[in-house]
Amino acid sequence: MGVMRLGVVETRVMDLEESLRYYTQVVGLQLTGREGNRAYLKAWDEEDHHSVVLVESDRPGLEHMAFKVRFQDDLDKFEKSIEQYGIKVNRVSKGARMAEGQAIEFKLPTGHIMQLYNEIEKVGNGLKLNPDPWPDNLKGMAPPNLDHLLLTGDDIQSVTDFMTRVLDFHISEQVVSVDGEQLIGTFLFRTNSPHDIAFIKGPDSKLHHFAFHLDNWNEVLRAADLLTKNDIALDIGPTRHGLTRGTTVYFFDPSGNRNEVFSGGYVPCADFTPITWTEDQLGKAIFYLERQLNERFVTALT
Ligand SMILES: O=C/C=C/C=C(\O)C(=O)O
Ligand SMILES: [Fe+2]
């Protein structure tokens, strides 16, 4: 029962062809389908039809995010508990997007659209019978999987209450005001990774970044090399986050959506005692080696 992992981020892009070149050649995702103004992509170690949907639009940003639940009948249970909590739930019919089954959709207290689903076509990763550790013909950064996303919103307390009490997410880290009164950031997980989704104080309904996993620090450096090789500006990094301990590079896709490649961190379980950062240490929390935020951290949102 319950939410397994972040399954899909549907991201608005301004030019689908240019974005496809970037996400397949530089990031190194595999194109698995195209229909109308949407393109569907997966990372090489993922089995489902897609984890990233690019939808051509007149503005960048996050159209929706979807978490995969373990069983189809989890949807009925979550529909009831979300509505009991006081948030309206809509049903999304099978086939609303290529290869996807039925889903439930609702708006978070921060204004973001979230879906829960179980059914999606499995295309496999070709590594299930006497497999090599990775396939041939990988391109670009070649992340094995989608990792997490960071969103901004005003009421961090409410979204944390909802995610923990209704969707049973656990808190790995939190950022609080110096007097401890106000919750400024919240890092939440269902998988045993430092975060599957996080929220920090800022304008409602905005995307800060979505991230792909890499195996180690060398791959993070190589990702930065690839960006420079392609004359793509880095936002920051390679560096380390104090929060999550993850090593990282932040950069932007052609539409200005921030991407991240992330490696490391720790392996929390449900009994993990949350790590607390006070706002006066925010610089070190976010960029441990620089020990200060860059301006874009709070302004470059989509
Ligand atoms: O509040 C911002 C901290 C960001 C941390 C990450 O992006 C991460 O750990 O992947
Ligand atoms: Fe991140």
Side-chain angles (χ1 to χ4, degrees):
M1 154 80 177
V3 172
M4 283 194 296
R5 65 169 180 276
L6 172 63
V8 179
V9 288
E10 183 179 30
T11 306
R12 295 186 299 267
V13 294
M14 318 285 271
D15 176 329
L16 191 53
E17 293 311 321
E18 184 189 27
S19 303
L20 267 176
R21 278 193 299 278
Y22 164 84
Y23 279 102
T24 55
Q25 303 303 316
V26 180
V27 177
L29 301 181
Q30 298 161 347
L31 176 65
T32 52
R34 283 196 68 160
E35 199 173 58
N37 66 341
R38 282 190 172 85
Y40 297 81
L41 301 105
K42 70 181 279 292
W44 63 264
D45 208 15
E46 294 169 337
E47 299 178 58
D48 288 349
H49 181 268
H50 55 268
S51 60
V52 172
V53 181
L54 303 177
V55 52
E56 193 162 57
S57 171
D58 58 1
R59 61 197 172 93
L62 181 73
E63 192 68 11
H64 86 283
M65 66 190 127
F67 281 80
K68 191 171 189 181
V69 297
R70 181 71 187 86
F71 301 109
Q72 187 65 12
D73 62 12
D74 287 342
L75 295 186
D76 295 338
K77 293 174 193 153
F78 277 123
E79 185 171 34
K80 278 195 198 68
S81 57
I82 295 168
E83 297 219 318
Q84 272 162 5
Y85 185 81
I87 290 180
K88 189 173 171 325
V89 177
N90 300 315
R91 281 271 169 177
V92 178
S93 47
K94 183 177 173 61
R97 273 177 304 276
M98 188 184 264
E100 293 189 13
Q102 208 186 71
I104 60 172
E105 178 178 277
F106 45 94
K107 187 179 277 197
L108 296 180
T110 49
H112 300 95
I113 304 295
M114 181 182 279
Q115 293 186 6
L116 299 180
Y117 71 101
N118 167 259
E119 276 178 357
I120 184 167
E121 195 186 311
K122 244 191 207 315
V123 296
N125 62 6
L127 299 168
K128 296 296 179 190
L129 178 61
N130 310 321
D132 294 319
W134 35 271
D136 296 328
N137 314 318
L138 291 179
K139 289 205 184 73
M141 302 172 188
N145 57 274
L146 178 66
D147 192 87
H148 66 266
L149 75 174
L150 176 64
L151 306 171
T152 68
D154 183 52
D155 191 343
I156 303 300
Q157 191 58 61
S158 296
V159 74
T160 302
D161 286 348
F162 172 74
M163 296 293 288
T164 52
R165 285 168 51 193
V166 182
L167 301 188
D168 196 25
F169 275 74
H170 315 297
I171 301 174
S172 56
E173 310 225 18
Q174 55 193 1
V175 184
V176 297
S177 51
V178 177
D179 61 9
E181 289 303 305
Q182 205 195 10
L183 191 59
I184 297 166
T186 189
F187 288 66
L188 305 162
F189 67 97
R190 284 287 303 174
T191 62
N192 296 107
S193 68
H195 56 330
D196 299 309
I197 186 168
F199 298 87
I200 48 161
K201 191 102 175 137
D204 269 347
S205 310
K206 289 294 182 187
L207 170 69
H208 187 276
H209 67 269
F210 60 94
F212 299 95
H213 179 264
L214 290 179
D215 279 350
N216 56 57
W217 173 236
N218 273 340
E219 291 197 2
V220 170
L221 170 61
R222 180 177 173 277
D225 291 343
L226 279 165
L227 289 163
T228 304
K229 207 168 150 59
N230 286 278
D231 283 325
I232 297 173
L234 303 180
D235 175 16
I236 193 162
T239 186
R240 182 200 285 277
H241 294 299
L243 258 155
T244 76
R245 302 183 202 150
T247 58
T248 175
V249 179
Y250 279 166
F251 48 101
F252 296 101
D253 79 0
S255 309
N257 296 304
R258 188 187 277 101
N259 292 161
E260 178 184 25
V261 282
F262 172 95
S263 181
Y266 46 81
V267 184
C269 293
D271 61 347
F272 187 84
T273 304
I275 295 169
T276 298
W277 292 84
T278 51
E279 191 179 11
D280 57 315
Q281 295 299 316
L282 199 58
K284 204 167 149 187
I286 297 176
F287 299 132
Y288 184 66
L289 305 181
E290 294 75 8
R291 293 184 298 137
Q292 60 183 7
L293 290 189
N294 61 4
E295 169 70 15
R296 282 186 298 268
F297 186 83
V298 292
T299 57
L301 308 172
T302 54

